[in-house]
Amino acid sequence: LDTAYVSVGAAGKDRTKGEIVSLAMNYAAQHPGEHASPLPASSTIKLVGDTALVRHHGDKDISMDLFVFVGGHWRALYSQHTAIAPAT
């Protein structure tokens, strides 16, 4: 995660890099040995120069993650999560 990283959740609340790292550490402590799931088949990755846009489309939400390639490493800059409204 880039030092300026921000994630905006489906409820519109933003979380800083420090908050995300803390949440991840707590999750890892509560779920030892659990591995991350692979990207779902509905995910796409689009590369434009040194920028990557990763889009996820699940049953309950849509999200996107923006990465930039700097100094030989991919760094996450921004994430946005949006809940999908139930069909009426």
PDB file of all heavy atoms in Angstrom, residues 20-35:
ATOM      1  N   ILE A  20      -6.309   0.121   7.467  1.00  0.00           N
ATOM      2  CA  ILE A  20      -6.399  -1.116   6.680  1.00  0.00           C
ATOM      3  C   ILE A  20      -5.385  -2.138   7.188  1.00  0.00           C
ATOM      4  O   ILE A  20      -5.697  -3.319   7.357  1.00  0.00           O
ATOM      5  CB  ILE A  20      -6.189  -0.835   5.173  1.00  0.00           C
ATOM      6  CG1 ILE A  20      -7.339   0.010   4.632  1.00  0.00           C
ATOM      7  CG2 ILE A  20      -6.014  -2.119   4.377  1.00  0.00           C
ATOM      8  CD1 ILE A  20      -8.692  -0.664   4.647  1.00  0.00           C
ATOM      9  N   VAL A  21      -4.152  -1.698   7.449  1.00  0.00           N
ATOM     10  CA  VAL A  21      -3.117  -2.612   7.959  1.00  0.00           C
ATOM     11  C   VAL A  21      -3.537  -3.168   9.316  1.00  0.00           C
ATOM     12  O   VAL A  21      -3.408  -4.372   9.577  1.00  0.00           O
ATOM     13  CB  VAL A  21      -1.747  -1.908   8.029  1.00  0.00           C
ATOM     14  CG1 VAL A  21      -0.730  -2.750   8.791  1.00  0.00           C
ATOM     15  CG2 VAL A  21      -1.239  -1.599   6.627  1.00  0.00           C
ATOM     16  N   SER A  22      -4.076  -2.332  10.186  1.00  0.00           N
ATOM     17  CA  SER A  22      -4.531  -2.784  11.500  1.00  0.00           C
ATOM     18  C   SER A  22      -5.653  -3.811  11.366  1.00  0.00           C
ATOM     19  O   SER A  22      -5.641  -4.851  12.046  1.00  0.00           O
ATOM     20  CB  SER A  22      -5.004  -1.588  12.328  1.00  0.00           C
ATOM     21  OG  SER A  22      -5.476  -2.010  13.583  1.00  0.00           O
ATOM     22  N   LEU A  23      -6.629  -3.550  10.493  1.00  0.00           N
ATOM     23  CA  LEU A  23      -7.715  -4.504  10.262  1.00  0.00           C
ATOM     24  C   LEU A  23      -7.181  -5.832   9.728  1.00  0.00           C
ATOM     25  O   LEU A  23      -7.626  -6.909  10.145  1.00  0.00           O
ATOM     26  CB  LEU A  23      -8.738  -3.923   9.290  1.00  0.00           C
ATOM     27  CG  LEU A  23      -9.613  -2.799   9.818  1.00  0.00           C
ATOM     28  CD1 LEU A  23     -10.372  -2.125   8.668  1.00  0.00           C
ATOM     29  CD2 LEU A  23     -10.587  -3.325  10.856  1.00  0.00           C
ATOM     30  N   ALA A  24      -6.215  -5.766   8.810  1.00  0.00           N
ATOM     31  CA  ALA A  24      -5.633  -6.985   8.238  1.00  0.00           C
ATOM     32  C   ALA A  24      -4.879  -7.782   9.296  1.00  0.00           C
ATOM     33  O   ALA A  24      -4.966  -9.021   9.338  1.00  0.00           O
ATOM     34  CB  ALA A  24      -4.709  -6.625   7.077  1.00  0.00           C
ATOM     35  N   MET A  25      -4.158  -7.091  10.177  1.00  0.00           N
ATOM     36  CA  MET A  25      -3.420  -7.783  11.238  1.00  0.00           C
ATOM     37  C   MET A  25      -4.390  -8.460  12.206  1.00  0.00           C
ATOM     38  O   MET A  25      -4.157  -9.602  12.622  1.00  0.00           O
ATOM     39  CB  MET A  25      -2.503  -6.806  11.958  1.00  0.00           C
ATOM     40  CG  MET A  25      -1.327  -6.366  11.099  1.00  0.00           C
ATOM     41  SD  MET A  25      -0.291  -5.102  11.859  1.00  0.00           S
ATOM     42  CE  MET A  25       0.325  -5.966  13.274  1.00  0.00           C
ATOM     43  N   ASN A  26      -5.468  -7.782  12.555  1.00  0.00           N
ATOM     44  CA  ASN A  26      -6.473  -8.376  13.441  1.00  0.00           C
ATOM     45  C   ASN A  26      -7.122  -9.590  12.789  1.00  0.00           C
ATOM     46  O   ASN A  26      -7.323 -10.622  13.445  1.00  0.00           O
ATOM     47  CB  ASN A  26      -7.542  -7.348  13.817  1.00  0.00           C
ATOM     48  CG  ASN A  26      -7.021  -6.293  14.755  1.00  0.00           C
ATOM     49  OD1 ASN A  26      -6.042  -6.490  15.459  1.00  0.00           O
ATOM     50  ND2 ASN A  26      -7.677  -5.139  14.759  1.00  0.00           N
ATOM     51  N   TYR A  27      -7.444  -9.486  11.504  1.00  0.00           N
ATOM     52  CA  TYR A  27      -8.054 -10.605  10.786  1.00  0.00           C
ATOM     53  C   TYR A  27      -7.091 -11.792  10.754  1.00  0.00           C
ATOM     54  O   TYR A  27      -7.486 -12.934  11.016  1.00  0.00           O
ATOM     55  CB  TYR A  27      -8.431 -10.191   9.366  1.00  0.00           C
ATOM     56  CG  TYR A  27      -9.150 -11.295   8.619  1.00  0.00           C
ATOM     57  CD1 TYR A  27     -10.527 -11.414   8.689  1.00  0.00           C
ATOM     58  CD2 TYR A  27      -8.445 -12.228   7.871  1.00  0.00           C
ATOM     59  CE1 TYR A  27     -11.198 -12.438   8.036  1.00  0.00           C
ATOM     60  CE2 TYR A  27      -9.093 -13.256   7.210  1.00  0.00           C
ATOM     61  CZ  TYR A  27     -10.473 -13.355   7.294  1.00  0.00           C
ATOM     62  OH  TYR A  27     -11.122 -14.384   6.646  1.00  0.00           O
ATOM     63  N   ALA A  28      -5.823 -11.528  10.445  1.00  0.00           N
ATOM     64  CA  ALA A  28      -4.822 -12.603  10.382  1.00  0.00           C
ATOM     65  C   ALA A  28      -4.662 -13.287  11.739  1.00  0.00           C
ATOM     66  O   ALA A  28      -4.516 -14.510  11.807  1.00  0.00           O
ATOM     67  CB  ALA A  28      -3.484 -12.043   9.905  1.00  0.00           C
ATOM     68  N   ALA A  29      -4.705 -12.511  12.819  1.00  0.00           N
ATOM     69  CA  ALA A  29      -4.582 -13.092  14.160  1.00  0.00           C
ATOM     70  C   ALA A  29      -5.781 -13.977  14.490  1.00  0.00           C
ATOM     71  O   ALA A  29      -5.636 -15.001  15.168  1.00  0.00           O
ATOM     72  CB  ALA A  29      -4.433 -11.982  15.196  1.00  0.00           C
ATOM     73  N   GLN A  30      -6.954 -13.606  14.003  1.00  0.00           N
ATOM     74  CA  GLN A  30      -8.167 -14.373  14.273  1.00  0.00           C
ATOM     75  C   GLN A  30      -8.341 -15.567  13.333  1.00  0.00           C
ATOM     76  O   GLN A  30      -9.143 -16.465  13.610  1.00  0.00           O
ATOM     77  CB  GLN A  30      -9.395 -13.467  14.167  1.00  0.00           C
ATOM     78  CG  GLN A  30      -9.445 -12.411  15.242  1.00  0.00           C
ATOM     79  CD  GLN A  30     -10.557 -11.391  15.000  1.00  0.00           C
ATOM     80  OE1 GLN A  30     -11.399 -11.559  14.116  1.00  0.00           O
ATOM     81  NE2 GLN A  30     -10.554 -10.323  15.776  1.00  0.00           N
ATOM     82  N   HIS A  31      -7.607 -15.571  12.207  1.00  0.00           N
ATOM     83  CA  HIS A  31      -7.723 -16.640  11.210  1.00  0.00           C
ATOM     84  C   HIS A  31      -6.326 -17.133  10.815  1.00  0.00           C
ATOM     85  O   HIS A  31      -5.932 -17.020   9.655  1.00  0.00           O
ATOM     86  CB  HIS A  31      -8.468 -16.129   9.970  1.00  0.00           C
ATOM     87  CG  HIS A  31      -9.818 -15.591  10.263  1.00  0.00           C
ATOM     88  ND1 HIS A  31     -10.053 -14.281  10.597  1.00  0.00           N
ATOM     89  CD2 HIS A  31     -11.031 -16.212  10.303  1.00  0.00           C
ATOM     90  CE1 HIS A  31     -11.343 -14.103  10.809  1.00  0.00           C
ATOM     91  NE2 HIS A  31     -11.956 -15.256  10.642  1.00  0.00           N
ATOM     92  N   PRO A  32      -5.574 -17.697  11.771  1.00  0.00           N
ATOM     93  CA  PRO A  32      -4.192 -18.105  11.460  1.00  0.00           C
ATOM     94  C   PRO A  32      -4.141 -19.153  10.343  1.00  0.00           C
ATOM     95  O   PRO A  32      -4.971 -20.052  10.296  1.00  0.00           O
ATOM     96  CB  PRO A  32      -3.676 -18.658  12.785  1.00  0.00           C
ATOM     97  CG  PRO A  32      -4.887 -18.970  13.591  1.00  0.00           C
ATOM     98  CD  PRO A  32      -5.970 -18.053  13.113  1.00  0.00           C
ATOM     99  N   GLY A  33      -3.191 -18.967   9.444  1.00  0.00           N
ATOM    100  CA  GLY A  33      -2.985 -19.928   8.365  1.00  0.00           C
ATOM    101  C   GLY A  33      -3.949 -19.810   7.200  1.00  0.00           C
ATOM    102  O   GLY A  33      -3.807 -20.509   6.206  1.00  0.00           O
ATOM    103  N   GLU A  34      -4.935 -18.907   7.293  1.00  0.00           N
ATOM    104  CA  GLU A  34      -5.900 -18.748   6.205  1.00  0.00           C
ATOM    105  C   GLU A  34      -5.252 -17.965   5.062  1.00  0.00           C
ATOM    106  O   GLU A  34      -4.591 -16.966   5.288  1.00  0.00           O
ATOM    107  CB  GLU A  34      -7.138 -18.012   6.711  1.00  0.00           C
ATOM    108  CG  GLU A  34      -8.266 -18.000   5.703  1.00  0.00           C
ATOM    109  CD  GLU A  34      -9.540 -17.423   6.301  1.00  0.00           C
ATOM    110  OE1 GLU A  34      -9.935 -17.861   7.393  1.00  0.00           O
ATOM    111  OE2 GLU A  34     -10.120 -16.529   5.671  1.00  0.00           O
ATOM    112  N   HIS A  35      -5.450 -18.430   3.861  1.00  0.00           N
ATOM    113  CA  HIS A  35      -4.872 -17.784   2.692  1.00  0.00           C
ATOM    114  C   HIS A  35      -5.913 -16.948   1.965  1.00  0.00           C
ATOM    115  O   HIS A  35      -7.105 -17.227   2.034  1.00  0.00           O
ATOM    116  CB  HIS A  35      -4.283 -18.823   1.729  1.00  0.00           C
ATOM    117  CG  HIS A  35      -3.168 -19.606   2.344  1.00  0.00           C
ATOM    118  ND1 HIS A  35      -1.904 -19.095   2.497  1.00  0.00           N
ATOM    119  CD2 HIS A  35      -3.149 -20.851   2.862  1.00  0.00           C
ATOM    120  CE1 HIS A  35      -1.141 -19.997   3.081  1.00  0.00           C
ATOM    121  NE2 HIS A  35      -1.865 -21.082   3.310  1.00  0.00           N
TER     122      HIS A  35
END
